[in-house]
Structure formats: C-alpha cells, structure tokens
Amino acid sequence: MKRFLDAYGEDLEFGQIQMNYLDWSFQDAKGKADLLKQFDIPIWVMEPLRGGSLSKLASEYEERLTMLRPEEKIPAWGFRFLQSIPEVTVILSGMSTYEQLEENIATFEEERPLTQDERKCLLKIADEMLVKKTVPCTACRYCTSHCPMELDIPRLIGLYNEYTVTGGGFIAPMVVGVLPENKRPSACIGCKSCEQVCPQQIQISVVMKEFSDALK
Ligand code: SF4
Ligand code: SF4
C-alpha cells in the first residue's frame, strides 16, 4: 500500500479500506489508516461490521458494552468506533432489512464518538475475540526453512485465521485455491519439524490438517 501511495497518492481523492474494530489490529486497519492520514487522503470505510458479524457479540461482550452505554445498540458500537476517527468521511454499510436501515439512520442522526475508556474497552474485546478464534502466529518465519515441503507457513496460518474469523468467507478459499497444490495446507506431511522451532509453540501440523479438512 505504501508503494502504491508513493506512486499515486497525490491523485487519490479517497482511500477505501476494510475497517472496523476487529480489523483494527487483525488486518492492520490502523496501519492503513495512518498511511492514508500521512498522505492526507480521506478514508472511505467498507465492512464496518465485518459482514454483519459485529452486529451481534457473545453475551459476555455485549454486557460489558451495555454497562458503558446502556442505550447504544451493539451494531452502533461499530459505527461509533468509526466516528471516533476524524479521517473517516464515508462509511459504506450493507443492509438487508428495512429495520437495519432504520437503525442505521437513527445511529447516524448524531455523532457520538467513543471516549478513550470506551474505545479501550471495545478494542480489548476485539483482542479477546481474536485470541479465541485465531492462531497466534507472529510471522517471525523461523519455521519456514525447516519445512521439507517449503510451505509458506505464516501465510497459510494468516489465511487460516481469516477463515476462522469470517466463519469461512471467500477470501481464504479463493487465495488457497490459486496456490499450486504442493503449496496448499493439504501438502503438509505432518513431520512437525516446523514445530520444534516455533517460539509460539503452535501445533502447525494440526492447523494445516484442520485447514485442509475445512477447505475440502
Ligand atoms: S509439519 Fe507440515 S508445515 Fe510443518 S514442517 Fe512438516 S510439512 Fe512443513
Ligand atoms: S515459527 Fe511459529 S510464530 Fe513464527 S512464523 Fe512460524 S508458525 Fe508463525
């Protein structure tokens, strides 16, 4: 993205990125927003509720948010988070029912950006959601030179995380689908040689097997 902005940033009227409180760290939306800010490019947001997955949370998370703002509906937290980012000028939200349309209109009738404490709580919840759903690969790449199949392990784990967070989605299956067969998760022979050097002690062979089975 930096190279693209270095080349074309001057000509851009806006930058459209996927941004929501879960992707703030997961897809590094924060880094992308910072870059667009550096280039003075307004942000247009897509997937503010991550395909609707942030419109309903686990009850423990919903309770924590409701304690902070009893009157705020759960989907509105996603929009209030974005209202807290001054560079955001447009939020594109898909709606599938008339009720959702009415709710969103009501939400945007007023700007109620999050306070520091509310934002901290929301991002902490996002971190907790990610810890539960994702494999904590740091992309250090210590493992890759140990793989006899020369798999791009951190990339595959990143796709696995995308797959689990979206409950399948289309991105991970599509990206894996265009890899050569001998570079897909199914090419893992389960030798575990990568696991000997992983500082995060990830059971990589298990992840590859699960991912491969899920994609069948
Ligand atoms: S377990 Fe799989 S990913 Fe790990 S080194 Fe062996 S073939 Fe590569
Ligand atoms: S060694 Fe572990 S943490 Fe590092 S890239 Fe490989 S799987 Fe990820």
Side-chain angles (χ1 to χ4, degrees):
M1 185 165 164
K2 171 85 166 64
R3 276 175 54 210
F4 182 85
L5 290 176
D6 282 337
Y8 305 109
E10 273 185 10
D11 303 317
L12 293 186
E13 292 175 19
F14 65 90
Q16 186 171 318
I17 57 174
Q18 175 164 325
M19 189 153 80
N20 51 63
Y21 57 84
L22 197 74
D23 283 316
W24 192 241
S25 64
F26 183 51
Q27 297 279 3
D28 194 23
K30 179 183 185 311
K32 292 170 192 161
D34 287 346
L35 256 181
L36 289 169
K37 186 178 178 180
Q38 273 175 36
F39 283 79
D40 209 14
I41 298 170
I43 301 173
W44 287 24
V45 173
M46 56 181 181
E47 298 290 359
L49 299 180
R50 223 179 198 277
S53 63
L54 301 181
S55 57
K56 178 144 185 52
L57 306 179
S59 56
E60 54 174 313
Y61 301 141
E62 291 199 356
E63 279 163 23
R64 278 156 64 185
L65 294 177
T66 306
M67 272 173 61
L68 289 171
R69 284 194 186 192
E71 73 291 356
E72 202 81 89
K73 295 217 162 79
I74 294 303
W77 279 88
F79 299 126
R80 300 302 184 207
F81 172 74
L82 296 170
Q83 284 180 347
S84 315
I85 301 166
E87 293 73 28
V88 170
T89 57
V90 173
I91 299 171
L92 302 162
S93 179
M95 287 159 274
S96 45
T97 65
Y98 195 69
E99 286 72 26
Q100 289 172 359
L101 179 66
E102 285 184 324
E103 255 185 41
N104 285 357
I105 290 171
T107 300
F108 280 94
E109 268 171 1
E110 54 180 341
E111 293 244 344
R112 295 188 64 207
L114 303 182
T115 64
Q116 285 291 338
D117 283 349
E118 289 167 343
R119 187 182 151 93
K120 217 166 134 187
C121 173
L122 190 63
L123 290 175
K124 185 158 187 308
I125 286 174
D127 283 346
E128 290 172 26
M129 287 163 66
L130 288 173
V131 165
K132 275 191 186 166
K133 287 190 172 177
T134 60
V135 175
C137 172
T138 59
C140 66
R141 304 193 73 82
Y142 293 156
C143 54
T144 50
S145 60
H146 293 259
C147 178
M149 304 307 291
E150 298 182 357
L151 299 182
D152 188 342
I153 296 168
R155 185 168 182 227
L156 291 176
I157 292 179
L159 290 166
Y160 173 81
N161 286 341
E162 170 68 30
Y163 188 90
T164 53
V165 167
T166 54
F170 70 94
I171 295 175
M174 182 182 73
V175 177
V176 173
V178 296
L179 292 175
E181 281 199 17
N182 63 354
K183 295 293 170 252
R184 295 180 190 173
S186 54
C188 170
I189 55 172
C191 66
K192 300 189 182 180
S193 110
C194 52
E195 296 176 19
Q196 312 301 318
V197 295
C198 176
Q200 304 301 321
Q201 300 181 323
I202 297 168
Q203 291 182 298
I204 300 166
S205 58
V206 175
V207 173
M208 293 300 143
K209 173 85 171 63
E210 275 184 18
F211 196 15
S212 165
D213 288 349
L215 291 172
K216 275 180 188 161

